[in-house]
Amino acid sequence: LIRSINDPEHPLTLEELNVVEQVRVKVNDAESTVAVEFTPTIPHCSMATLIGLSIKVKLIRSLPERFKLDVHITPGTHASEHAVNKQLADKERVAAALENSHLLEVVNQCLSARP
């Protein structure tokens, strides 16, 4: 579901950039949980929150509502790892971000199929 998400700054997908890898995705159907670790391309990646938000939105739109999602940065790979993870884990902050029309447009571009 997430391998084809476009990177916001590069003409490549998150999978092509090794930002997302299958080994860092854990699905537990019995417990209705999905955990995704993503690795920004550089430790100071300014797009880390946007990438995490794009992953989260794709999963929210694709999976049944019963799933609890945990999208976070691979430990030790980003300078602001704690702050980004805190934002992505906060349902109210995620909802507020998605009410921002400009931000939603950027997320939708990341999720759209490339021509």
Side-chain angles (χ1 to χ4, degrees):
L1 294 171
I2 62 174
R3 66 174 17 131
S4 63
I5 296 173
N6 301 309
D7 184 273
E9 294 184 310
H10 301 281
L12 299 170
T13 66
L14 297 184
E15 183 180 51
E16 290 167 333
L17 291 167
N18 293 320
V19 172
V20 294
E21 299 173 278
Q22 192 167 350
V23 297
R24 299 199 184 284
V25 178
K26 307 284 185 249
V27 178
N28 186 326
D29 194 35
E31 294 182 14
S32 299
T33 60
V34 175
V36 177
E37 268 185 7
F38 67 100
T39 307
T41 53
I42 57 172
H44 293 281
C45 175
S46 62
M47 296 287 139
T49 306
L50 179 61
I51 290 168
L53 187 60
S54 296
I55 293 169
K56 196 156 195 165
V57 168
K58 177 68 174 184
L59 294 174
I60 289 168
R61 291 179 181 175
S62 303
L63 295 173
E65 282 187 35
R66 68 181 172 91
F67 280 95
K68 182 179 185 313
L69 306 175
D70 174 23
V71 177
H72 59 274
I73 291 178
T74 305
T77 63
H78 193 273
S80 302
E81 170 188 335
H82 178 72
V84 172
N85 288 344
K86 188 174 178 181
Q87 285 184 304
L88 292 172
D90 187 327
K91 285 182 180 177
E92 289 178 10
R93 288 174 87 168
V94 169
L98 297 177
E99 288 177 8
N100 177 318
S101 60
H102 174 69
L103 193 54
L104 185 59
E105 185 179 327
V106 175
V107 167
N108 285 333
Q109 286 172 0
C110 290
L111 300 182
S112 67
R114 287 252 159 87

